[in-house]
Amino acid sequence: MCKRIKGWICLLLTVCLLGSMAQPVAQAASFNVDFDTYCEALLLVNQDTGVVVYEKNADERLEPASLTKIMTYLVVCKHVEDLKNTKTTVSQDAITQLLGTGSSVSGVIAGEELTIYELLNLMMVPSGNDAALVLAEYVGGGDVQKFVDMMNEEAEALGCQDTHFMNPHGLHDDQHYTTARDMYLITQEAMKQPYFMDITNQLYYTLRATNKSEEPRTVYTTNRMLNQNADGGQYYYRYCRGIKTGSHDEAGYCVITTAVREDLGYSYLCVAMNCPEYTESGETNVHGEMIDSKNLYEWAFNNLSLKSVMEAGSIVGEVGLEYAWDKDTVQVQAADSFSTILPDSVDSDSIVVTTDLPESIEAPVEKGTVLGTATLSYAGEVLTTVDLVAAETVERSQLLYTMEQAKSVLTSQWFLITVGIIGTLLLIYIFLLILYRRKKKKLCRVRNMRRM
């Protein structure tokens, strides 16, 4: 019976602990910048930690224009195993569809036989809408809408909350939208695909001679951040790697890039969306999306660094302890270490630690048992949640436990009620006994008098 009670107590304790641990874990610390930005939406993420260090309207639905092609690349790679040896033929429809749209094209020719790898280059480097349609036709089995359905299914699988695609290239459609945060999720997955970063980081791509062209053709990147000769180098950023530009009237200027500082050991990914095509002074072709990206990278590299906030094994607090001989508390310590990106001016002591622990627990307790959590915050933003575990093993005092159980039984409501009932019955019994004896004595006296 004792073992069964012990088992139930352990089970209830475990359920309570699991309930306290079922808190959403977050890693975010969006900091302020000291410069103005052009774009409607921005998101800057440290790639080494996954920490969002800056965001602006990151969940606002916007048209992505040719950023769409990142998803197109992703879907193609997930449905074509051999990119370099799988071939398809350019259809006339893929070219005709784009007539009069003012689209950026790569110049593919109807009837031209190209590999999927070649078409990916033609889609991503010069932002060829024609190449995107050819790829969609091939993967969709001749049905572009089927391919678009695959894009939306992939977005849902990635956890995108506010994304819906209507085409594989990004031309305007009121129902074609996404967010900076969703585009980050999509780009992260695309970066895992074969050749993605190599293709998107090229200044130009030269297509071989084909069955429809006797001469090789060279196409050039639309990403001015990669080209120090474009526009006098005003948008060039030497640490930039890839990825994709996009623009049309409704979407404004957009760009997604990464930047790597190997000397510092940090890398970032920046999503910049919906930069107006016209400035307040009426200037055109001012690529604020690239200026914003460059400024954010420089700000991050110059002002942020990885700092250790909590070390595994560090004592965070203590919990009351019952049924332990000569010991009233047990210390709790961090189960894991945690480091995050913080401004250089911020000391790790500025991190606010909020613990969620029970007032007390019952011995025995083993070292390493999860007893609660610690939530780490900075400037009102939750950084992460760390498990707190017992720092030592404490055995149960069987004497104290037995005494406490006895006390518990003796002071329980049902015990007191039972004692009260028994006491009442006993009093009634005594009362009746007294009455009986008095009556018996009276009868005896009556009998004695009759005999006389």
Side-chain angles (χ1 to χ4, degrees):
M1 183 67 179
C2 183
K3 290 182 178 180
R4 186 176 300 175
I5 293 174
K6 178 180 177 181
W8 278 109
I9 293 172
C10 292
L11 177 61
L12 289 172
L13 180 60
T14 302
V15 171
C16 292
L17 291 175
L18 289 174
S20 67
M21 292 163 55
Q23 304 288 336
V25 177
Q27 280 194 24
S30 184
F31 308 114
N32 296 321
V33 296
D34 55 1
F35 52 86
D36 294 330
T37 56
Y38 291 87
C39 291
E40 178 72 17
L42 291 161
L43 187 72
L44 182 67
V45 184
N46 178 269
Q47 291 286 85
D48 311 294
T49 61
V51 172
V52 175
V53 297
Y54 179 79
E55 63 177 276
K56 173 186 176 183
N57 301 325
D59 297 306
E60 181 179 345
R61 289 183 178 182
L62 298 168
E63 288 201 48
S66 285
L67 299 185
T68 301
K69 291 167 183 151
I70 298 174
M71 176 58 91
T72 300
Y73 190 110
L74 173 57
V75 173
V76 168
C77 285
K78 290 200 171 184
H79 290 84
V80 180
E81 291 186 5
D82 189 349
L83 300 177
K84 288 194 171 183
N85 292 305
T86 302
K87 293 184 178 181
T88 188
T89 301
V90 177
S91 70
Q92 180 62 52
D93 188 52
I95 298 172
T96 303
Q97 280 189 50
L98 300 173
L99 294 178
T101 63
S103 292
S104 58
V105 294
S106 63
V108 295
I109 304 167
E112 193 166 35
E113 294 180 358
L114 301 170
T115 66
I116 301 303
Y117 174 79
E118 290 169 335
L119 285 164
L120 289 173
N121 277 271
L122 294 172
M123 177 178 69
M124 300 302 285
V125 178
S127 199
N129 288 358
D130 47 0
L133 281 173
V134 175
L135 288 166
E137 287 179 344
Y138 175 77
V139 176
D143 186 348
V144 173
Q145 183 56 53
K146 181 178 178 182
F147 182 86
V148 174
D149 291 341
M150 294 178 187
M151 296 170 68
N152 288 315
E153 290 169 4
E154 182 65 25
E156 183 178 356
L158 291 174
C160 297
Q161 300 293 314
D162 294 283
T163 294
H164 185 262
F165 296 110
M166 293 295 290
N167 58 63
H169 40 61
L171 286 180
H172 167 64
D173 189 295
D174 288 338
Q175 296 304 310
H176 190 94
Y177 55 81
T178 187
T179 66
R181 200 179 310 278
D182 283 357
M183 280 309 309
Y184 166 72
L185 295 176
I186 294 167
T187 304
Q188 279 284 92
E189 186 67 17
M191 289 172 70
K192 302 174 185 178
Q193 306 309 313
Y195 315 114
F196 181 80
M197 288 305 297
D198 291 337
I199 288 176
T200 61
N201 197 45
Q202 297 175 107
L203 285 176
Y204 60 88
Y205 172 72
T206 299
L207 178 67
R208 60 178 173 81
T210 69
N211 62 313
K212 291 292 182 178
S213 175
E214 296 180 359
E215 299 293 331
R217 292 123 61 192
T218 300
V219 291
Y220 298 89
T221 184
T222 56
N223 190 350
R224 292 167 170 81
M225 293 185 72
L226 299 177
N227 190 351
Q228 58 185 325
N229 296 317
D231 301 294
Q234 65 174 316
Y235 304 116
Y236 173 70
Y237 189 57
R238 61 174 174 160
Y239 302 114
C240 182
R241 303 288 184 271
I243 290 176
K244 190 72 194 74
T245 62
S247 67
H248 59 61
D249 291 346
E250 291 79 9
Y253 291 128
C254 308
V255 69
I256 296 179
T257 53
T258 65
V260 180
R261 283 286 300 269
E262 295 180 356
D263 56 325
L264 298 177
Y266 299 132
S267 62
Y268 287 89
L269 187 149
C270 184
V271 181
M273 297 180 69
N274 195 16
C275 171
E277 295 185 348
Y278 299 89
T279 64
E280 292 181 359
S281 60
E283 294 179 88
T284 60
N285 295 321
V286 175
H287 287 275
E289 80 285 8
M290 297 187 185
I291 295 173
D292 284 352
S293 299
K294 184 176 179 179
N295 287 341
L296 284 172
Y297 285 139
E298 283 295 280
W299 164 78
F301 286 133
N302 293 331
N303 295 282
L304 306 179
S305 59
L306 185 67
K307 295 187 178 185
S308 176
V309 176
M310 181 171 283
E311 295 290 336
S314 58
I315 301 300
V316 179
E318 59 183 19
V319 175
L321 190 61
E322 299 178 10
Y323 311 139
W325 190 262
D326 199 27
K327 194 171 184 63
D328 298 325
T329 62
V330 60
Q331 290 185 320
V332 294
Q333 61 188 21
D336 302 296
S337 298
F338 175 72
S339 299
T340 191
I341 296 293
L342 290 171
D344 294 332
S345 59
V346 173
D347 191 279
S348 57
D349 292 337
S350 301
I351 303 301
V352 176
V353 180
T354 305
T355 60
D356 182 7
L357 292 164
E359 290 187 9
S360 64
I361 59 171
E362 297 179 1
V365 59
E366 292 186 9
K367 182 178 181 180
T369 301
V370 177
L371 300 180
T373 59
T375 299
L376 281 59
S377 306
Y378 172 72
E381 297 281 351
V382 174
L383 301 175
T384 193
T385 299
V386 178
D387 285 338
L388 298 179
V389 299
E392 57 184 320
T393 296
V394 181
E395 298 297 333
R396 172 187 288 174
S397 168
Q398 196 60 42
L399 174 61
L400 291 177
Y401 180 72
T402 302
M403 291 173 62
E404 185 63 28
Q405 293 301 306
K407 177 182 176 183
S408 177
V409 170
L410 294 174
T411 59
S412 68
Q413 182 179 5
W414 287 109
F415 179 81
L416 293 176
I417 291 173
T418 302
V419 170
I421 293 172
I422 293 173
T424 302
L425 293 174
L426 183 60
L427 289 174
I428 293 171
Y429 172 77
I430 293 172
F431 177 73
L432 293 174
L433 183 62
I434 292 171
L435 290 176
Y436 172 77
R437 287 181 175 177
R438 285 181 177 177
K439 186 175 182 180
K440 187 175 181 181
K441 287 181 179 180
K442 186 177 179 180
L443 289 173
C444 287
R445 286 198 298 268
V446 170
R447 289 174 182 169
N448 290 331
M449 290 177 65
R450 286 177 178 176
R451 287 175 182 172
M452 292 174 63

